[in-house]
């Protein structure tokens, strides 16, 4: 069973610092899904990726 990740709509705010640039290759289908979420939440694709990765890092389990 998958857990839900809830993302609230963003209130416009600019000028955040303290980030590094990272290049990642993604499938077109995933980018399309991110763009859809972006439109629905008024957040940039970059911001959504950061929010989703922050959530995922918290719930990952390493199997040995």
């Amino acid at each position: 069973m998958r857990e839900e990740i809830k993302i609230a709509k963003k209130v416009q705010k600019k000028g955040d610092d303290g980030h590094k640039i990272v290049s990642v290759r993604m499938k077109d289908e995933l980018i399309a899904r991110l763009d859809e979420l972006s439109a629905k939440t008024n957040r940039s694709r970059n911001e959504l990726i950061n929010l989703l990765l922050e959530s995922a890092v918290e719930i990952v389990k390493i199997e040995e």
Side-chain angles (χ1 to χ4, degrees), residues 7-60:
I7 299 174
K9 287 190 176 184
K10 177 185 176 182
V11 177
Q12 292 291 13
K13 177 182 165 185
K14 296 186 179 187
D16 293 339
D17 293 335
H19 295 92
K20 301 256 188 236
I21 296 173
V22 177
S23 177
V24 178
R25 292 181 55 167
M26 293 184 197
K27 292 185 178 185
D28 291 337
E29 296 83 14
L30 180 55
I31 292 172
R33 290 174 67 190
L34 288 168
D35 288 344
E36 188 177 317
L37 283 172
S38 176
K40 289 179 180 177
T41 61
N42 296 327
R43 293 179 181 268
S44 69
R45 184 192 298 161
N46 177 72
E47 192 171 7
L48 282 174
I49 291 168
N50 275 289
L51 289 168
L52 293 168
L53 285 174
E54 285 175 12
S55 295
V57 166
E58 296 300 319
I59 60 174
V60 72

